[in-house]
Structure formats: structure tokens, C-alpha cells
Amino acid sequence: MTIKQLERRAVEEVRKLRVRKLKNGMPFMINSSELPSTQCYLEYPNGTINIVTICHKNYDFKVIKELTFEEANSLRKKYNLPEI
């Protein structure tokens, strides 16, 4: 198997994991090089997406910003993530 094939397979598996987590009522973390290294996106089963940072005091996430409906859809389109 080539590196390209392995990369494609890994991406497919992460997409499947996303669907499973969202369908099971769990949020899905989306890492992006466009955000600071301490931040990521959290996508929720209801379709909302927040920019969050880790809160080390209680090992939870602190919401920095809730994306608008349009911003969330734009992010999904950018990363080729279908709505669930």
C-alpha cells in the first residue's frame, strides 16, 4: 500500500468515526492548522460548531466562539464533511 493510499484510508476512517460519534450523541473534534495550537472546533450532533480551548483546571473545553449557521456550513464544505 502506498503512502497516498494509507492517507486516503485514514481520512475515510476519521470520517466514519465522525459519523458514529455524532449519531451516538457525542461531539467530534476538528483540528485545524488555521486555529492556534491550543484551539480546535467541536462539532455537536445538533449541527452547531464551536471554537474551543482546553480548560486544564477541570479537563473540559471552554467555548471561545459559537459559529453561525453559515460559518458552520462553510467549515463543513471546506473540509468536505456532510451534514449528519
Side-chain angles (χ1 to χ4, degrees):
M1 193 174 273
T2 68
I3 290 178
K4 286 282 187 195
Q5 290 171 321
L6 285 172
E7 287 175 353
R8 270 188 256 127
R9 188 169 182 183
V11 167
E12 289 172 20
E13 290 303 316
V14 169
R15 290 181 196 281
K16 289 177 187 176
L17 175 63
R18 173 184 171 263
V19 169
R20 281 195 311 269
K21 287 191 73 144
L22 293 173
K23 285 188 174 184
N24 286 323
M26 303 289 293
F28 182 76
M29 181 186 296
I30 303 169
N31 289 311
S32 172
S33 60
E34 296 173 358
L35 293 175
S37 63
T38 59
Q39 297 177 8
C40 65
Y41 296 103
L42 266 188
E43 180 181 22
Y44 297 91
N46 68 0
T48 61
I49 298 177
N50 292 339
I51 297 175
V52 299
T53 189
I54 188 75
C55 182
H56 293 287
K57 286 182 186 178
N58 57 3
Y59 299 103
D60 200 2
F61 293 103
K62 177 182 174 192
V63 175
I64 295 171
K65 178 185 179 194
E66 183 173 336
L67 273 59
T68 65
F69 178 79
E70 292 80 14
E71 289 171 326
N73 282 339
S74 176
L75 185 73
R76 280 189 203 89
K77 183 180 273 188
K78 177 179 182 171
Y79 290 107
N80 196 25
L81 301 171
E83 285 194 51
I84 304 297

